[in-house]
Amino acid sequence: MDTPFMTIDALLVGTPVPFRDGDYSAIAKTPVAGPVQITWDGFVGNQVADPIHHGGWDKAIHLYPQDHYAWWRDRKPGQPLLDAPGAFGENIASRGMTEHQICLGDRFTLGSAIVEVSHGRQPCWKLDHRFAARDIMATIVKTARCGLYFRVIAQGEAQAGGVMTLIERPLPDWSIARVFELLIGGGHKKDPSAVLTLANTPVLAEAWRERARKLAA
């Protein structure tokens, strides 16, 4: 069987800038030319405006599949953000696998680094504001086109044009789409036993394990 992999269209970094009503955000990211250094905190040169909700061990690197962009362009024709990678604030613009094929705990090569899938990305109001639309966040919740976060297992460097190869898959039954639908999309009501399992799954990011514990209570 062929080993699953993703190709990297772009690697992106951002720094906090004024966003709305005194809020700052680093959601607007730009592609990096050449190699990007990858540390425990993610890409060197990337910053977060809100360290409580962004960044840290479980949110070191954000990936959003470029495979979704055509779907979004059909729904948001003429939206210039969708003309290039980075519309959703991603650090990795990838192609080849989506949330339905990527599983919790998957480990991928990223250049000379190794990264591990920790959870999906829970959308917030900043996406609606960035797109000047009221339905981006709700559409992501409904469709699980959420993107995902990695933690860094081994530091290294990578660059656009490379390949991310799957090297470990400990939880093949737990796609990111399934985890997202259970914990964010309302699916916990139909499958409480699965939510309880997630609450006790160490590889899941602590914030989502806590959410699973509350939903299972």
Side-chain angles (χ1 to χ4, degrees), residues 33-203:
V36 178
Q37 296 295 317
I38 303 165
T39 71
W40 307 122
D41 295 325
F43 291 173
V44 169
N46 190 64
Q47 300 176 20
V48 298
D50 178 4
I52 294 175
H53 297 104
H54 300 285
W57 169 245
D58 285 332
K59 295 182 179 180
I61 300 171
H62 174 220
L63 176 148
Y64 196 83
Q66 303 303 285
D67 312 69
H68 295 324
Y69 270 52
W71 185 91
W72 281 108
R73 282 193 291 267
D74 286 344
R75 282 147 186 83
K76 300 295 177 184
Q79 170 53 258
L81 289 173
L82 296 168
D83 291 340
F88 298 89
E90 62 264 35
N91 298 116
I92 301 175
S94 64
R95 197 175 299 274
M97 299 174 72
T98 72
E99 297 85 353
H100 286 277
Q101 290 90 42
I102 301 170
C103 296
L104 179 65
D106 278 0
R107 289 189 176 187
F108 288 88
T109 60
L110 177 55
S112 58
I114 296 173
V115 294
E116 178 180 82
V117 177
S118 61
H119 63 319
R121 188 257 188 96
Q122 183 173 354
C124 69
W125 64 268
K126 290 181 178 179
L127 283 170
D128 282 1
H129 183 69
R130 176 162 168 77
F131 276 79
R134 297 183 177 181
D135 61 344
I136 302 298
M137 182 170 68
T139 300
I140 289 172
V141 170
K142 189 179 299 183
T143 65
R145 288 176 168 84
C146 56
L148 54 96
Y149 284 109
F150 291 109
R151 56 177 69 94
V152 177
I153 302 301
Q155 301 180 103
E157 69 174 30
Q159 63 184 69
V163 171
M164 298 179 67
T165 302
L166 179 69
I167 56 174
E168 287 187 44
R169 171 160 285 175
L171 300 170
D173 295 331
W174 290 100
S175 72
I176 287 299
R178 183 188 180 198
V179 175
F180 184 90
E181 288 161 359
L182 282 167
L183 299 186
I184 307 299
H188 64 281
K189 300 171 185 175
K190 297 179 182 178
D191 198 349
S193 63
V195 175
L196 187 59
T197 298
L198 286 174
N200 294 288
T201 301
V203 75

Side-chain angles (χ1 to χ4, degrees), residues 6-60:
M6 295 178 278
T7 57
I8 302 171
D9 285 5
L11 300 177
L12 306 97
V13 299
T15 56
V17 297
F19 191 65
R20 188 190 75 174
D21 299 335
D23 286 312
Y24 280 68
S25 176
I27 195 171
K29 294 177 170 46
T30 55
V32 177
V36 178
Q37 296 295 317
I38 303 165
T39 71
W40 307 122
D41 295 325
F43 291 173
V44 169
N46 190 64
Q47 300 176 20
V48 298
D50 178 4
I52 294 175
H53 297 104
H54 300 285
W57 169 245
D58 285 332
K59 295 182 179 180

